[in-house]
Amino acid sequence: MFEMQSGRAIRAGGPTLVAVTEPAAAAAATEIPPHVPPQLPPQVPPQGSRGTIPDGSDDPDVCGGPESSVASDGILRRQAQRESAARTYARSLPIVPVRARGLTIEGADGRRYLDCLSGAGTLALGHNHPVVLEAIRGVLDSGAPLHVLDLATPVKDAFTTELFANLPPELAADARIQFCGPAGTDAVEAALKLVRTATGRSGLLAFTGAYHGMTAGALDASGGAPGVRVTRLPYPQDLRCPFGVGGPEGAELSARWTENLLDDPKGGVPAPAGMIVEPVQGEGGVIPAPDGWLRRMREITAARGIPLIADEVQTGVGRTGAFWGVDHAGVVPDVMVLSKAIGGSLPLAVIVYRAGLDVWAPGAHAGTFRGNQLAMAAGTATLAFVRENRLAERAAALGERMLAALRGLACGHPCIGEVRGRGLMIGVELVDPDTGVAAPALAAAVRQECLDRGLIVELGGRHGAVVRLLPPLTLTDEQAAAVLDRLADAIPAAARRTH
């Protein structure tokens, strides 16, 4: 198995897989802040094991056995009969979770899994972290109202105060916040409405490969939407660079394309209401925006009076190794779209924006569930825990070591086209070794082999060929080694299965 030691990943009982010798990675490995474990000691369940998660329970109705397996099968069968054909994760992950703590999920059939999906990045602290549970119980036990629309409450005030304390200082000094509907896509809709109202313009600049949600306006801004008032711009990447060069040159060409298109009087692009960008494209295949390119986007938009919207729904709250994805480039956007981790595992979505854009009339944007008190309490606890325990810095260091280990693994597996990511937002793109073409069938086989080994991963990318890892920021070195070990076993097993 892999062991995360002294800035390198090794395969126990075998030769060194990869040594992290780059100065930045070596420095990161030695500067990992001490990790504060949850109240219960973290454990790594054996691959596909049965038993309980580490909370002392031995309930036979939960811990496996023939009866539990039958019950689990029945629940899955009824789900398939009753739920929409649009269901997604349930198709590839036929699990009935009944208990969870930290990285570990236990199914109704007693099998335990390491969860590297984390609610699509929602669970910054993993499942049922003690500080989150304590915050939720505190609200429930206090007798405070749970539903208050947009009225002011002590819980809401505490959340806003903690959130503003973690924003880029230049934005926090002049910010307004709008509480939206419960999902990230609702916040995207609010951001688009905001900039259109403030500028009096309707067009939008977005990027190839983008994903901003599943409501109509958010889908318009996402890659692949046909016939909408969105101008699609090239998003730089190395493996499949739209200009065929990759690296800094590809990023520069992407920036020049954007600048020339906006300034060309015959370019067919009227002045837009805003530009929306992900600091790391998550569903698009875990593609980090180059820092220099993101700074250029900020310069281009600022010079032309175009509000810059940063979609931090998945990248926010330490996920990429900085508190916000834009922090890596030192960029301060005009609008930040926030959801997922800010609710501490519960539904919450907001936009934070410069006061100069706040020209809405009362009631111009609303939502019945924008006053979710439990989510605000859980979110405050999560934001504070990430800040106080320097989990963003730990994500940067541990993520760098995991990326180095996976790149070392790629050297022996030509089906791995590229390993990329930032912090604990990691992607492994699988390809046909002979042609370099994306290999979605192989990726699906890897996902299944991982599941068979007790590891939950999901796929992304334009062709569904990128295996994605989104573990909680509380991931321990032991758990990281177990994740790498299971993935390293799953890839060759899947390759044999598909040939």
Side-chain angles (χ1 to χ4, degrees), residues 76 88-96 117 447 451 456-458:
L76 291 171
T88 53
Y89 300 111
R91 295 180 183 275
S92 58
L93 302 171
I95 300 169
V96 180
L117 179 57
R447 177 179 59 193
L451 192 64
I456 296 173
V457 300
E458 247 304 337

Side-chain angles (χ1 to χ4, degrees), residues 209 281-288 420 426-429 460-462 466 468:
Q281 287 192 340
E283 301 300 324
V286 194
I287 304 174
R420 54 184 180 254
I426 296 171
V428 179
E429 180 156 351
R462 289 160 170 77
V466 178
R468 302 186 60 201

